Amino acid sequence: MNSDTSPEPGARGPAPERSDAPEGPRGWTSVVVESPIGPLFLAATAAGLVRVAFHADARTAARERAALAARLGGPEDPATGAHAVEAAGEALERYFAGDGELAGPPLDWSLVTGFQREVLRVLAAEVPFGAVVGYGELARRVGQPGAAQAVGLAMGANPLPLFVACHRVVERDGGIGGFGGGVETKRQLLALEGVLPEPLF
């Protein structure tokens, strides 16, 4: 990889629906699911999947739940969002089994705003399974060609990794770039999508 974009992308699945949830306290629920890259924390509101977090051991899951209670204005309600977290878990199983694009429940974008939300929406809409994009190219696509660093910050603030695939954003010179789930996790995901060779160990 020595450019900001990949070759012609491969097979593309249906894009997840997107939801902008209303303001005010909202119910939500969460689960932790196992995956080939470790336990994943999934949370959803009635509007859709709202949070995904990597390396979800007991401490991480507790921290995520406390943060969501503060951000969404109330405690967890297992009856709210249960269908969305179930659909997300099933979609992840298919994705890690090699079925292609990760298509799951609607997405609740309410944990991210402004430029960061705009960047993440463009990423979700325009960079499919099997493709990568450079930070600078993604900045150009949102009409801010000098904002590569801000794009990097948006990737770090992504509340919905995997479903909004920030692992597909790489450095212009071919470097893999950073990743909130860790560089080795990013490498595994890009290998799964056929962008990199499978890790040797």
Side-chain angles (χ1 to χ4, degrees):
M1 294 177 292
N2 56 10
S3 67
D4 276 349
T5 55
S6 72
E8 192 70 17
R12 170 194 310 246
E17 298 174 23
R18 289 158 182 81
S19 171
D20 292 303
E23 296 298 322
R26 288 175 292 133
W28 56 279
T29 193
S30 68
V31 298
V32 174
V33 299
E34 294 300 322
S35 82
I37 58 171
L40 298 168
F41 176 87
L42 308 175
T45 66
L49 189 68
V50 72
R51 180 71 175 122
V52 178
F54 297 104
H55 313 304
D57 58 17
R59 179 178 296 183
T60 297
R63 184 174 65 243
E64 291 290 340
R65 290 184 175 111
L68 283 172
R71 292 288 302 276
L72 299 178
E76 188 164 6
D77 174 11
T80 302
H83 175 73
V85 292
E86 181 179 351
E90 292 171 354
L92 286 165
E93 286 185 10
R94 294 191 297 270
Y95 172 76
F96 285 114
D99 284 359
E101 186 67 84
L102 181 56
L107 304 180
D108 179 342
W109 292 88
S110 61
L111 297 183
V112 64
T113 59
F115 177 75
Q116 292 177 336
R117 182 189 286 189
E118 183 180 2
V119 170
L120 292 170
R121 282 184 176 276
V122 170
L123 173 63
E126 298 186 9
V127 187
F129 184 96
V132 292
V133 66
Y135 294 95
E137 170 61 16
L138 190 52
R140 186 191 66 76
R141 293 190 191 188
V142 297
Q144 300 287 338
Q149 186 173 2
V151 166
L153 294 174
M155 297 304 102
N158 181 9
L160 293 162
L162 297 175
F163 291 86
V164 180
C166 51
H167 61 273
R168 296 176 189 155
V169 184
V170 298
E171 294 177 353
R172 181 184 179 94
D173 63 2
I176 195 170
F179 188 56
V183 172
E184 287 309 310
T185 298
K186 184 172 186 176
R187 192 179 303 279
Q188 284 179 269
L189 294 170
L190 292 175
L192 175 67
E193 298 190 7
V195 177
L196 293 177
E198 290 287 348
L200 296 177
F201 53 85

